[in-house]
């Protein structure tokens, strides 16, 4: 393996890591040599993911946490640092989209759930972990945003607001923590073939329209997002910070031709 893409001896915490993009990132970080903390709200899902990764020769531990609760997030951060003694990479991948439709139709509960899990939990985690990361010479944070946060969307407006907030959080934290050698970036995927995206990918009419607007004429794979997340955490990405990197097959730049 090229040293540019090595995480040998590094430690990483990945939220939303039991399936889809999160599990793909965990797998690539593990293959690159990182020791992993796998987190999601389900203890069973965490254990299953850890068992799968362990069979592949990857060192991983399960630490479930409900990101709706600030105390649970603080405990996740503390237990991660207690287990590893340090943290070199953080991936905030957990996300929810409980509301579909116009913004005005979203309930207060929809707003609270979406903004807490997608945005506030990332702030809670970074606030708890970046000081320790800085003490050990720096590291990398990847916040999983979305192309729903870079353009308007009739159905995913609330989700898009939370993801736009994550991209801005990456920029702010990059400025705040850059002098401590901590890099913070966002990744904005388009439609990726995961369980989370099935409401889109299982709808032929929606997919026909979407793919017609996507120059590469296909949906993405979780591994294609994970490869970028690996670069951002590895030495090869050491001069990239404060960016929102779009992985969408060209959807956001296409003109429909």
């Amino acid at each position: 393996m090229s040293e540019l893409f090595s995480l040998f001896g590094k430690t990483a915490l990945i939220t939303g890591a039991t399936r889809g993009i999160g599990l793909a990132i965990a797998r690539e970080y593990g293959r690159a040599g990182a020791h992993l903390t796998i987190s999601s709200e389900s203890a069973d899902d965490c254990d299953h993911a850890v068992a799968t990764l362990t069979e592949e020769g990857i060192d991983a531990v399960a630490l479930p946490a409900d990101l709706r609760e600030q105390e649970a997030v603080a405990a996740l951060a503390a237990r991660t640092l207690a287990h590893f003694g340090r943290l070199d990479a953080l991936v905030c991948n957990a996300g929810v989209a409980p509301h579909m439709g116009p913004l005005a139709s979203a309930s207060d509960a929809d707003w609270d759930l979406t903004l807490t899990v997608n945005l506030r939990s990332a702030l809670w985690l970074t606030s708890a972990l970046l000081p320790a990361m800085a003490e050990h010479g720096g590291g990398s944070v990847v916040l999983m945003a979305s192309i729903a946060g870079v353009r308007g969307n009739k159905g995913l407006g609330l989700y898009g607001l939370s993801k736009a907030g994550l991209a801005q959080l990456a920029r702010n934290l990059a400025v705040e923590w850059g002098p401590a050698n901590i890099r913070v970036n966002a990744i904005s995927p388009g439609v990726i073939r995961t369980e989370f995206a099935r409401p889109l990918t299982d709808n032929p009419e929606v997919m026909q329209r979407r793919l017609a607007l996507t120059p590469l004429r296909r949906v993405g794979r979780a591994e294609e997002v994970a490869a970028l997340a690996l670069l951002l955490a590895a030495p090869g990405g050491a001069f990239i910070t404060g960016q929102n990197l779009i992985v969408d097959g060209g959807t956001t730049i296409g003109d429909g031709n």
Side-chain angles (χ1 to χ4, degrees), residues 100-121:
M100 288 283 292
L103 278 169
S105 66
S107 68
D108 286 347
D110 291 331
W111 278 86
D112 289 344
L113 178 59
T114 303
L115 293 180
T116 298
V117 173
N118 293 4
L119 182 57
R120 293 184 72 190
S121 72

Side-chain angles (χ1 to χ4, degrees), residues 15 21-22 25 91-97 117-119 122 141-151 156 158-171 184-192 196 225 228-229 232 242-248 252:
T15 69
I21 291 172
I25 292 173
V91 180
C92 295
N93 174 71
V96 296
V117 173
N118 293 4
L119 182 57
V141 178
V142 173
L143 306 178
M144 197 58 61
S146 168
I147 63 169
V150 300
R151 62 181 191 173
L156 286 170
L158 179 54
Y159 176 78
L161 277 169
S162 69
K163 295 299 187 174
L166 276 178
Q168 182 60 29
L169 181 61
R171 289 185 284 267
V184 187
N185 293 285
I187 298 176
S188 285
V191 178
I192 307 298
F196 186 80
V225 181
L228 177 57
L232 293 175
Q243 302 305 303
N244 180 24
L245 299 156
I246 295 175
V247 184
D248 71 346
T252 52

Side-chain angles (χ1 to χ4, degrees), residues 13 63 65-82 121 124-129:
L13 165 61
L63 290 179
D66 185 345
L67 299 186
R68 296 172 296 182
E69 303 294 336
Q70 188 170 7
E71 290 183 359
V73 174
L76 171 62
R79 292 172 66 195
T80 298
L81 292 175
S121 72
W124 292 336
L125 266 180
T126 51
S127 297
L129 290 168

Side-chain angles (χ1 to χ4, degrees), residues 158-239:
L158 179 54
Y159 176 78
L161 277 169
S162 69
K163 295 299 187 174
L166 276 178
Q168 182 60 29
L169 181 61
R171 289 185 284 267
N172 269 84
L173 292 178
V175 170
E176 292 179 20
W177 291 94
N181 192 37
I182 293 175
R183 295 168 288 107
V184 187
N185 293 285
I187 298 176
S188 285
V191 178
I192 307 298
R193 193 171 298 282
T194 63
E195 188 70 23
F196 186 80
R198 283 192 63 183
L200 293 176
T201 57
D202 284 356
N203 187 321
E205 188 176 313
V206 169
M207 289 312 301
Q208 183 177 4
R209 290 198 307 268
R210 171 56 67 92
L211 296 183
L213 296 170
T214 300
L216 290 184
R217 297 296 193 266
R218 65 176 178 88
V219 299
R221 296 184 295 115
E223 293 79 8
E224 292 166 329
V225 181
L228 177 57
L230 174 59
L231 169 66
L232 293 175
F239 204 50

